[in-house]
């Protein structure tokens, strides 16, 4: 059985570092003369959500397959849940769960039977298997449908069953390859909730997604996969700060107030027609307060204030846009 405590890894100087659930250095993979992964480095703290973000064909599934031991990398090294991928793939497999684009759900049998099959695979006793299956079916709101063939389930129900099946073995690291692709908005939100709950149990989630909003919503850290490399890595906030364009927009009803504000905020861009000022800002509380203080000193009050931060879409296009060399991104 996988230990319930994440092992700590040792740094070069022998000090234990905070538990790392997944670490990879220089992962490479090619198919024929097509390089899919061209040296990927990852370091994912235990108990966090990590999103590998990239469009179709970027190599997300390839990365998941390598890290979950389904295929071998051509080069590089990786540890998952404290075990070396190459040296101890069995131990990696015992510690992880994977749900992919191709679900493990068997449509011909019921949800409950699918769960019991997983329990058998994990060598749980009949009694324990029933207990775990019932508990997970309940948790994922599938108890009512448990006795129906899985082929009758909606897309969202199938995904939930898939995750429930993955959890039977008590994995410490879960790979979710595009967990919400093809789901309707409501099922997508349910899935997001499920993923957040997984993490509150201490599980590490490695998810792939094409959706910037999904990465923004769920992930502690995001890596943008582009041209076989990690083009950028960080929190959603850090990534957003990579691209300029954040500003505060202040709108006034009274032209006199507008003019006073424009005098007070000299760095602002004016929109005389709309009586609006755009002040460059990165969206931090400190900057916002500074702007408000300046307005207050000038004795004016804006009638409308909106903060515009660049979203991940801006970041993504800035990082991957062919018309914009990477060097231009600060
Ligand atoms: N078994 C394979 N043989 C040849 N090419 C493959 C194979 N698997 C994936 N590829 C190619 O590798 C690239 C990345 O695929 P994939 O990892 O599935 O991307 P993603 O999951 O980001 O959509 C694609 O161009 C795909 O066609
Ligand atoms: Mg894929």
């Amino acid at each position: 059985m996988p230990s319930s405590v994440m092992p700590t890894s040792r740094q070069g100087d022998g000090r234990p570092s905070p538990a790392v659930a997944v670490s990879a250095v220089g992962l490479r993979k090619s198919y024929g003369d097509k390089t899919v992964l061209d040296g990927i480095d990852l370091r994912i703290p235990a108990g966090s959500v990590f999103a590998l973000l990239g469009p179709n064909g970027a190599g997300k599934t390839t990365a998941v397959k390598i890290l979950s031991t389904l295929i071998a990398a051509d080069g590089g090294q990786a540890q998952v849940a404290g075990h070396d991928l190459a040296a101890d793939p069995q131990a990696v497999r015992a510690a992880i769960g994977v749900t992919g684009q191709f679900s493990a759900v068997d449509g011909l049998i019921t949800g409950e039977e699918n769960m019991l099959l997983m329990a058998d695979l994990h060598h749980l006793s009949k009694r324990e298997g029933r207990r775990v299956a019932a508990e997970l079916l309940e948790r994922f709101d599938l108890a009512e449908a448990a006795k129906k063939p899985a082929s009758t389930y909606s897309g969202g129900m199938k995904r939930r069953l898939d995750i429930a099946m993955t959890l039977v073995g008590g994995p410490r690291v879960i790979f979710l390859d595009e967990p919400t692709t093809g789901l309707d908005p409501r099922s997508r939100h349910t899935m997001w909730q499920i993923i957040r709950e997984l993490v509150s149990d201490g599980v590490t989630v490695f998810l792939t997604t094409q959706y910037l909003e999904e990465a923004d919503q769920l992930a502690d850290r995001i890596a943008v996969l582009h041209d076989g490399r990690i083009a950028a890595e960080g929190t959603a906030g850090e990534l957003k700060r990579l691209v300029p364009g954040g500003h505060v927009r202040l709108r006034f009803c009274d032209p006199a107030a507008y003019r006073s504000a424009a005098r007070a905020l000299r760095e602002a861009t004016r929109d005389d027609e709309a009586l609006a000022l755009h002040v460059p800002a990165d969206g931090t509380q400190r900057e916002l307060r500074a702007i408000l203080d300046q307005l207050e000193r000038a004795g004016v009050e804006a009638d409308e204030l909106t903060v515009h931060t660049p979203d991940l879409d801006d970041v993504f296009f800035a990082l991957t846009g062919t018309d914009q060399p990477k060097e231009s991104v600060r």
Side-chain angles (χ1 to χ4, degrees):
M1 279 301 287
S3 132
S4 64
V5 178
M6 285 299 300
T8 53
S9 58
R10 300 251 161 209
Q11 292 170 330
D13 57 6
R15 277 185 301 120
S17 60
V20 176
V22 178
S23 67
V25 178
L27 283 187
R28 312 179 64 84
K29 181 77 188 175
S30 303
Y31 288 110
D33 53 12
K34 182 174 171 52
T35 303
V36 178
L37 300 179
D38 193 12
I40 299 283
D41 298 343
L42 298 170
R43 189 181 172 81
I44 305 173
S48 67
V49 180
F50 172 82
L52 187 61
L53 180 67
N56 234 335
K60 302 181 297 296
T61 298
T62 303
V64 167
K65 281 184 173 166
I66 290 171
L67 293 171
S68 58
T69 78
L70 293 174
I71 59 172
D74 299 337
Q77 294 168 353
Q79 281 85 39
V80 176
H83 306 287
D84 191 83
L85 217 54
D88 205 353
Q90 278 300 111
V92 171
R93 257 170 250 149
I96 65 170
V98 189
T99 77
Q101 281 166 313
F102 307 103
S103 138
V105 173
D106 183 343
L108 293 177
I109 58 177
T110 69
E112 184 178 45
E113 286 163 344
N114 270 289
M115 292 294 289
L116 294 174
L117 210 59
M118 282 313 270
D120 274 351
L121 280 176
H122 285 282
H123 308 296
L124 300 187
S125 68
K126 282 272 175 293
R127 194 197 159 98
E128 181 68 357
R130 281 187 197 292
R131 189 188 65 76
V132 170
E135 199 180 288
L136 286 167
L137 286 166
E138 181 70 41
R139 172 168 161 197
F140 290 110
D141 203 16
L142 292 166
E144 230 165 86
K147 306 262 188 241
K148 293 185 187 138
S151 58
T152 64
Y153 290 11
S154 69
M157 289 165 79
K158 275 186 197 144
R159 297 281 170 98
R160 298 208 301 277
L161 178 58
D162 210 2
I163 292 193
M165 286 165 68
T166 304
L167 292 182
V168 168
R172 304 302 306 155
V173 180
I174 299 182
F175 294 92
L176 301 172
D177 194 7
E178 298 201 27
T180 67
T181 297
L183 292 186
D184 61 78
R186 208 181 130 190
S187 305
R188 169 169 298 167
H189 280 268
T190 307
M191 193 56 75
W192 287 357
Q193 199 49 44
I194 287 172
I195 292 169
R196 291 192 185 107
E197 281 165 19
L198 289 176
V199 179
S200 66
D201 291 346
V203 170
T204 307
V205 175
F206 183 120
L207 70 93
T208 74
T209 182
Q210 303 187 34
Y211 305 116
L212 299 141
E213 191 203 353
E214 180 157 295
D216 201 353
Q217 283 280 334
L218 293 177
D220 298 301
R221 299 191 75 79
I222 301 165
V224 180
L225 188 58
H226 177 63
D227 268 353
R229 292 172 180 269
I230 305 289
E233 202 263 348
T235 64
E238 284 166 355
L239 292 182
K240 286 174 192 173
R241 262 173 257 135
L242 284 176
V243 297
H247 64 268
V248 172
R249 183 174 188 271
L250 303 162
R251 210 181 56 76
F252 300 84
C253 297
D254 172 17
Y258 168 70
R259 284 192 298 272
S260 309
R263 276 195 299 276
L265 297 164
R266 247 166 269 127
E267 72 277 33
T269 320
R270 298 170 62 138
D271 180 348
D272 291 342
E273 209 159 308
L275 300 185
L277 296 172
H278 287 198
V279 190
D282 60 11
T284 61
Q285 186 178 334
R286 188 162 36 81
E287 275 202 344
L288 201 55
R289 183 173 294 136
I291 293 167
L292 294 178
D293 284 348
Q294 278 173 288
L295 283 178
E296 192 163 318
R297 276 197 295 274
V300 284
E301 213 171 278
D303 296 288
E304 196 183 295
L305 180 151
T306 39
V307 180
H308 295 261
T309 40
D311 60 16
L312 279 179
D313 280 302
D314 300 325
V315 178
F316 193 74
F317 291 118
L319 288 170
T320 64
T322 42
D323 53 341
Q324 210 170 351
K326 269 177 218 166
E327 287 70 32
S328 74
V329 177
R330 283 171 301 130

